[in-house]
Amino acid sequence: MSLLAATDWADFRFLRDSAGLSDSALSKQLTTLEEAGYVEIRKSFVGKRPRTSARLTPQGHEAFAGHVAALQEIVARAGLAVLPQP
């Protein structure tokens, strides 16, 4: 979700490589997010090669923003302004 929140459309290969997932694992995650209404999937061809891209829907952006706000609240309740550096 964070990768998709930072871009308009993201190529499947970029998402797979950035997240360190297998093709099947990413495909399952994207399908689940699409079924929830959080992600839109676009399938096309470049020459004879299939291309899959994804982007967050408005509902997906809203859900992600809510998740980030909840994480920020957890951090604030813990009294941490910034996460400690390793």
Side-chain angles (χ1 to χ4, degrees), residues 2 5 11 13 27 41 43 56 59 62 67 70 72-73 75:
S2 62
D11 184 71
R13 290 179 298 165
S27 181
I41 305 294
K43 294 184 181 270
L56 288 184
Q59 184 181 352
E62 186 177 319
H67 179 70
Q72 289 172 333
E73 179 66 23
V75 170

Side-chain angles (χ1 to χ4, degrees):
M1 291 286 289
S2 62
L3 289 170
L4 293 174
T7 187
D8 186 28
W9 284 95
D11 184 71
F12 185 91
R13 290 179 298 165
F14 168 77
L15 293 171
R16 178 198 64 205
D17 295 346
S18 297
L21 296 172
S22 67
D23 286 357
S24 63
L26 178 58
S27 181
K28 287 177 188 177
Q29 292 297 315
L30 288 175
T31 297
T32 299
L33 291 168
E34 182 181 35
E35 289 171 354
Y38 293 163
V39 170
E40 178 183 350
I41 305 294
R42 176 175 65 188
K43 294 184 181 270
S44 61
F45 283 87
V46 176
K48 293 185 179 185
R49 302 190 117 175
R51 285 284 164 100
T52 300
S53 299
R55 73 174 176 180
L56 288 184
T57 63
Q59 184 181 352
H61 278 286
E62 186 177 319
F64 182 69
H67 179 70
V68 169
L71 291 173
Q72 289 172 333
E73 179 66 23
I74 291 167
V75 170
R77 286 185 183 177
L80 300 173
V82 177
L83 295 177
Q85 297 297 317

